[in-house]
Amino acid sequence: MKLAMNKQQLAAKIWAGANSLRGKVSANSYKDYMLGLIFYKYLSEKEENYLKDKLFFEDDDLKDLNEEDTKTVENCQKNIGYFIEYKNLFSFWKMPDTEKQKMFPDKDMTFTIATVRTSLSAFNRLIGVDYRKVYNGIFDTLEKGLDTLGTMDSDRTKAVSKLTDLINEIPTDGSQDYDVLGFIYEFLLKNFAANAGKAGEFYTPYEASTIMSEIIAHHLKDRKEISIYDPTSGSGSLLINIGKAVSKHMGEANKVKYFAQELIPETYNLTRMNLIMRDILPNNIIVRNGDTLSDDWPFFEDGSKEHMLKTYNPCFVDGCCSNPPYSQNWVNDDAAIDVRFKDYGVAPKSKADYAFLLHNLYHLKSDGIMTIVMPHGVLFRGGEEGKIRQNLIEKNNIETIIGLPANIFFGTGIPTIIMVLKKDRASSDVLFVDASKGFIKDGNKNRLQAKDVKKIVDTVLARNTSEEEKSYARLVAKDEIVKNEYNLNIPRYVDSSDKPEIWDIYASMFGGIPNSEIDELKDYWCAFPTLRNELFETKDIPYSNIKVEDIGNSIQKNADVIAFNTNYKNVLISFPNYLKEELVDNCQNVAIHKEETKLAEKLREVLSTTSLVNYYDAYQILDNSWNKITLDLELLQLEGFSALTLVDPNMVSKKNSKTKEIVEVQEGWVGHILPFDLIQEVYYKSSKEKLDSLVVDLADLESQKTTLLDSIDPVDKTELLKEDSEDIETKKLNAVIAKIKKELKKGAEYDEGSYEDIIIKINDVNTNISQCKKDIKALNTKLVEDTKAKIEGLSQEEALSLLVEKWIKPLVNELNGLSLSVIKNMEEKVIKLHEKYSTTYENVSNDIDSSKQKLTTMIDELNGNEFDIKGLKEFKKLLGGNKHE
């Protein structure tokens, strides 16, 4: 059975592994080990699947797989590019040593660090001749790092065993609807930010990558074959996301050719791993470890400079994307005659940003498109950069500039932009998008949400900005840019600054709310025509007063508001059934990589007839739900309907009390797809409510016990405390309870509230706690057993109806809540407007005079020495208290 794991589950695994090796392996090294070993597992599984599917190997046949079988070796090298013999496969590594020893009794088959070294060395030796460029040296980073896993081989073996145990549970079959290696890379950068350094700057966050990918994919969607290029590829995530986005339109993933270059060997290897793990054909992967600016590639074959000049044959691509290092130094001595730069200018030595941009632009086909991440400064810096910018504008190359939020990249907090350029454009205008304020906080970084990404992409593709959106995006004519001396700083064209709050002088003095400020809520008054007159009392002057006691209640009871909520629910009434037909009834055939786009467009269509509800807020709800639904769909399509009737062991991480190591142990069961909570809510509601009630009772009893313990006199309490602690020691408490119970049997009596009386009450509470815990355990055990049995016995009809409960009802309930959010938001704005002018200057002045009078009276009642009295008189004079004296 194929493994499936969503991002949250994968993150938990990675974090557990990091904790188990904390203090033994550096965060940066941990990343390299994880990625390298996951890739080795992928290659091992790929070979096993190839042998079984294409050469019809059985499991027993695999045991004889070795280098002496030259026919199989050559077949693998020719068709998958490499050969791994049986005892070097990852699956063999993870087989119990006793089982391995039975197969090979004459050899020591114990898994050690030497096993990994031998396997990696053999892999490098057995790469197919035609695949050398794809696989050669791909494990160099991992091989070099093995020695740092410990000071002795025994320590290294222990560490690598833990890592491979963890990796054995991570899916590497390419079926996940996300980039597994890219996710791990980003997760480790995020959670070990102190170690991220420059690597974090060069990794493009998923959200920014999606924006760039969707823009490129839309432009290339009608082509039968495409080529894409990233000259600073890093982890390869940008290329992968573009390929994924394009394949949604093309329907054929193997029609995309990937060009990539990366300077840093470690990330160059990661690019290759990432592309290969997405099941991209090796012939479609052209990757090089080199310096993009000093060596124009992928256009020279390796060789002498003289040979290069003779064989120069530039390759042009359909799409180019990159997130190059920001404002780095570069050698530009010969750049003036370089064909990439000669028509535009040469970027300064201290800032290579435009050198990377021009490199990308040069290698575009005439009808190609590029997206590039740049520091904000490239929009307005002068000198040579100003000249390059002018040439780009005059040649109509710049199509769109998107301002991103600051602090979204790991390793740097500077503001960045995405620029969209084309080699040949019919129009000369430039679209400016200021998306710098659309984000949420995520730890110490900012992060774009799905709705922010969607809005950016929609705006860029539509390219028809409205007056209402002028603070977000604006299409600017070339003439205006020329008048601004080719300065492209976004605030010159899009004013997204917050509108300053205005205080009306008349209303501040005399009260009332300016009609002009009420008019600013015009969208609400258009949607609810009768509401304004119900809330506000007009005057002969341009000011109004609130005429209701309870603003919120009056809004809720307004006929137009009630009709709005009703109409909104009616608009959505057909959406649940549409979702059921699309996702539940068709769950085996849903095209997962295309479905969210389809659902989003349907949601847009459904909401098009309603006002006030923001489509992008609705899209965010859809996306949140879709991310959860996707994993279930993958499992259903991989495993069939039987996946709905499976339960899995609930594994939790715990510290072993003896070894102090973090280990995984089973605690009950969880539904493979259908959660226990859902089953209990539908089929065992009364038992679940009883259990929840017992849990509340237990918490109440624990609280009673704490209160009783706190009421004990501190002197008496000392005999109950742990040594050097303020905590109660259970053993001592039980001893005191036993002693007092003996005295009670002898006829002793104690006063209410005495130390002994409190101890007796604690004993009674303890008895109740013990019984409550027994009841909870018994009921929970029974409920878990019943739930497990119910899941395993579900009919297909029952199981599918439960998917409606899990997937569709929560989504639709959240969508229905958007109309209430609109009303709540309006209510808050009206209340704020009312409170703004409810206290006038006259009110404040009267309050001040009253306070002064009270203070003056208090001063008259004070006594003191001669100097005190003089001081008080002066203070009284300042308050105006003796102006008539």
Side-chain angles (χ1 to χ4, degrees), residues 528-548:
F528 315 124
T530 63
L531 182 59
R532 180 168 180 168
N533 288 336
E534 285 187 12
L535 294 176
F536 296 98
E537 181 181 31
T538 58
K539 302 179 179 181
D540 294 334
I541 55 177
Y543 295 85
S544 300
N545 288 326
I546 286 285
K547 64 180 181 180
V548 296

Side-chain angles (χ1 to χ4, degrees), residues 505-557:
I505 295 176
Y506 179 89
S508 298
M509 292 293 177
F510 301 104
I513 302 171
N515 290 341
S516 59
E517 293 189 39
I518 299 174
D519 291 341
E520 290 179 5
L521 304 178
K522 62 181 182 300
D523 289 344
Y524 295 113
W525 311 138
C526 289
F528 315 124
T530 63
L531 182 59
R532 180 168 180 168
N533 288 336
E534 285 187 12
L535 294 176
F536 296 98
E537 181 181 31
T538 58
K539 302 179 179 181
D540 294 334
I541 55 177
Y543 295 85
S544 300
N545 288 326
I546 286 285
K547 64 180 181 180
V548 296
E549 290 292 327
D550 188 332
I551 293 173
N553 188 50
S554 299
I555 290 173
Q556 297 290 342
K557 290 184 176 179

Side-chain angles (χ1 to χ4, degrees), residues 613-631:
V613 173
N614 185 293
Y615 164 70
Y616 294 105
D617 289 337
Y619 176 79
Q620 184 67 52
I621 292 171
L622 174 65
D623 184 75
N624 291 343
S625 294
W626 177 249
N627 289 333
K628 299 170 188 174
I629 293 169
T630 301
L631 179 64

Side-chain angles (χ1 to χ4, degrees), residues 5-19 166 183 187 653 664:
M5 189 178 288
N6 62 22
K7 290 181 180 180
Q8 186 178 2
Q9 292 166 328
L10 179 54
K13 287 287 178 193
I14 301 166
W15 191 247
N19 280 331
L166 171 67
F183 174 78
F187 178 84
S653 296
E664 283 201 328

Side-chain angles (χ1 to χ4, degrees), residues 618-666:
Y619 176 79
Q620 184 67 52
I621 292 171
L622 174 65
D623 184 75
N624 291 343
S625 294
W626 177 249
N627 289 333
K628 299 170 188 174
I629 293 169
T630 301
L631 179 64
D632 291 348
L633 284 171
E634 288 174 355
L635 286 173
L636 283 166
Q637 293 183 3
L638 283 169
E639 302 170 10
F641 284 112
S642 62
L644 291 167
T645 61
L646 296 177
V647 294
D648 301 324
N650 181 37
M651 306 304 293
V652 296
S653 296
K654 287 193 171 183
K655 182 179 283 188
N656 186 300
S657 58
K658 292 182 180 179
T659 64
K660 305 301 181 185
E661 293 183 345
I662 303 294
V663 294
E664 283 201 328
V665 296
Q666 182 179 349

Side-chain angles (χ1 to χ4, degrees), residues 148 219 446 719 862:
T148 65
H219 181 73
N446 297 329
E719 70 170 332
L862 294 174

